[in-house]
């Protein structure tokens, strides 16, 4: 078993950068249970077909976003 961190989708081993940031960095991950950050909150990908992103708002209430909404709001692979 390797102790190296797994690469994010769309990254090659020759990428010297850590993880890509923002919507211009490419496409959102498509694997179930992928995690991205937007507006200071984390969102987890639920399901495969017709998937959505699940997270919580500032008051702890469930919030669900589509891929398009995350692109519009901006997202990163890392917490800012």
């Amino acid at each position: 078993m390797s102790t190296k961190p797994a690469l994010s989708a769309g990254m090659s081993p020759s990428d010297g950068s850590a993880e890509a940031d923002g919507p211009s960095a490419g496409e959102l991950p498509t694997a179930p249970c992928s995690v991205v950050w937007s507006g200071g909150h984390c969102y987890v990908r639920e399901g495969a077909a017709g998937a959505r992103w699940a997270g919580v708002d500032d008051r702890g209430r469930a919030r669900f976003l589509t891929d398009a909404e995350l692109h519009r709001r901006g997202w990163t692979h890392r917490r800012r």
Side-chain angles (χ1 to χ4, degrees), residues 1 4 9 15 17 31 39 45 54 56 63 69 76 78-79:
M1 176 176 242
K4 292 182 181 179
D15 270 349
S17 63
R45 183 130 177 129
V56 294
R63 180 160 193 169
E69 289 170 320
T76 65
R78 290 185 274 169
R79 185 176 188 174

Side-chain angles (χ1 to χ4, degrees), residues 52-70:
R52 61 185 179 173
W53 294 90
V56 294
D57 65 10
D58 291 334
R59 294 182 176 208
R61 297 176 293 202
R63 180 160 193 169
F64 300 96
L65 301 175
T66 64
D67 288 354
E69 289 170 320
L70 270 177

